[in-house]
Amino acid sequence: MTAATTPTTGHAGHADRVYATGLRNRWHPVVPSRFVAPGGMRRVRALGEDWLLFRRADGRLHMLADRCPHRGARLSLGRHLGDRIACWYHGVEVDGGGTVTAVPGLPGCALEGKQLVTSPPVREAGGAILAYFGDALHPEPGELTLPEPLTDPGTDAFLCYAEWDVPWRYAMENLLDPMHGQFLHHESHTMGEGESTAKFRIRETERGYFFEKTDQRGVNFDWVELCRTGVDWVDLSIPYPPSAGPGGPFGIVGMICPVDESRSGVFFWRYRRVTDWQRDTWRFLYRTLIEERHWQVLEQDRTMLEALPPDADTAENLYQHDLGVVRLRRLYRAEAEQQAAGLAAAGHI
């Protein structure tokens, strides 16, 4: 093995892994809520690890590391027993909090009553499951403030979910790059208006920053805000013609789930501020006309991002339009380094 291919270890290696698979000590979206029906279970992968989601008959949701504490078998292959999972291999039962409740082959075994399986806290919002992924120094969930469009009763939103073969950072960077709308999406829906040249600025906010055009607003994909409220999300707005119905501009809340080093789950809530009869009109138009157009735009993003080489960010020639992307990279890299340094100082790596 050459020096170029030798994997890094220790502090630097852990920072690289966090940067590749997703920041810890934050909430992340995992999958849409509809993926786990009452009484159902689903194996998922997030932040480079395997997990099991299961839902009780009353709708309560639990998440467990997909690993039996006995011999490491996959709990996702086991039986759903209502409020716990029985491993298929030897029948060991684990409840939604990760505690072993029974060892059928040896009742009274020392495993019983011990919390031996990682069980991240979960919340549901806007039709999606969010989970908190902490490290050894931060096991308890941090504060989570959900995006306003997902909680505002005067806003109606549709969740669109897909999985792309692209690193999570590239998917986030795409959202912090408004100028690509003028070119990649020029023939799509409402993205053909406005100037093909622009200047950008970063404007700080209490929860993150805006990356916006200085000479155009309300014409195309002219601005995006990165919001860091316990979960990272972006907010952006696309102007709509009157033919698209009531509600004013079309907003998008976007989140990215780091599945592993090379795959991402992308969550896009398309929203408009509508109530009463306008909500019904908007929902009808969206389902019958607009949704297909939006999936076409997402396909353009997917095609472009999946075609990028894995090391695309190592040999670039950036310019002023890339300030938002550069800021994002520095932010995430610094957090990955900080998390690794904290664990190293405490002797965990």
Side-chain angles (χ1 to χ4, degrees):
M1 180 177 289
T2 66
T5 59
T6 301
T8 55
T9 59
H11 176 179
H14 189 80
D16 288 342
R17 176 163 177 76
V18 169
Y19 191 61
T21 61
L23 298 175
R24 273 56 176 181
N25 310 328
R26 303 193 68 77
W27 292 81
H28 291 276
V30 181
V31 290
S33 293
R34 59 182 171 82
F35 280 20
V36 190
M41 49 196 287
R42 185 182 183 97
R43 178 188 173 195
V44 298
R45 188 165 175 80
L47 279 70
E49 299 177 347
D50 294 318
W51 305 91
L52 169 65
L53 288 164
F54 76 97
R55 196 184 294 276
R56 300 188 188 192
D58 63 6
R60 281 183 289 176
L61 183 71
H62 301 285
M63 187 171 182
L64 297 170
D66 192 15
R67 185 182 179 89
C68 178
H70 173 217
R71 295 279 302 280
R74 292 200 179 279
L75 290 173
S76 57
L77 294 175
R79 291 184 298 138
H80 191 315
L81 299 180
D83 61 350
R84 60 200 188 281
I85 302 296
C87 179
W88 191 18
Y89 202 12
H90 297 93
V92 174
E93 299 177 11
V94 181
D95 69 13
T99 297
V100 176
T101 59
V103 179
L106 186 63
C109 171
L111 296 181
E112 293 183 350
K114 291 183 178 179
Q115 187 175 6
L116 299 174
V117 180
T118 301
S119 178
V122 292
R123 286 186 62 177
E124 296 185 78
I129 297 168
L130 281 71
Y132 173 79
F133 296 89
D135 63 19
L137 299 180
H138 305 86
E140 296 302 318
E143 183 178 352
L144 172 63
T145 301
L146 296 169
E148 297 93 333
L150 305 188
T151 59
D152 175 21
T155 300
D156 192 61
F158 290 91
L159 171 59
C160 300
Y161 171 78
E163 293 188 12
W164 294 348
D165 290 323
V166 60
W168 72 280
R169 305 184 318 280
Y170 290 3
M172 283 294 295
E173 290 171 6
N174 185 64
L175 293 171
L176 268 293
D177 174 22
M179 202 62 193
H180 85 270
Q182 179 62 238
F183 296 93
L184 181 61
H185 305 313
H186 183 77
E187 304 298 328
S188 303
H189 201 22
T190 61
M191 295 277 201
E193 302 298 324
E195 298 296 327
S196 58
T197 61
K199 292 289 187 180
F200 283 87
R201 68 178 180 183
I202 291 175
R203 179 161 55 91
E204 305 293 339
T205 69
E206 291 184 354
R207 62 186 185 181
Y209 64 88
F210 277 92
F211 187 57
E212 58 192 3
K213 296 177 183 176
T214 62
D215 45 7
Q216 178 175 291
R217 188 90 171 187
V219 181
N220 201 313
F221 180 9
D222 295 332
W223 61 270
V224 61
E225 182 186 9
L226 174 68
C227 306
R228 314 201 74 205
T229 62
V231 61
D232 282 6
W233 55 284
V234 300
D235 190 22
L236 60 94
S237 177
I238 306 295
Y240 255 21
S243 60
F250 166 71
I252 298 176
V253 165
M255 297 183 192
I256 307 298
C257 173
V259 175
D260 54 31
E261 294 91 339
S262 60
R263 190 166 177 81
S264 301
V266 296
F267 295 73
F268 295 105
W269 286 268
R270 285 83 179 272
Y271 72 85
R272 295 184 85 180
R273 292 183 170 87
V274 285
T275 56
D276 302 325
W277 67 268
Q278 292 185 340
R279 183 185 297 255
D280 295 334
T281 302
W282 148 245
R283 295 184 70 84
F284 174 79
L285 283 172
Y286 182 83
R287 287 303 193 195
T288 59
L289 178 64
I290 301 171
E291 183 175 23
E292 182 179 356
R293 296 174 180 175
H294 294 165
W295 278 112
Q296 291 171 359
V297 171
L298 280 184
E299 272 298 290
Q300 292 166 354
D301 284 323
R302 183 193 64 78
T303 299
M304 182 59 62
L305 293 175
E306 288 190 346
L308 289 173
D311 63 347
D313 58 351
T314 62
E316 301 170 313
N317 295 279
L318 306 179
Y319 52 92
Q320 202 266 349
H321 291 180
D322 304 308
L323 288 174
V325 170
V326 172
R327 172 68 178 276
L328 186 74
R329 289 178 182 175
R330 289 175 177 171
L331 183 69
Y332 284 165
R333 187 74 218 188
E335 286 203 10
E337 294 283 351
Q338 183 180 31
Q339 290 178 11
L343 291 172
H348 290 287
I349 57 174

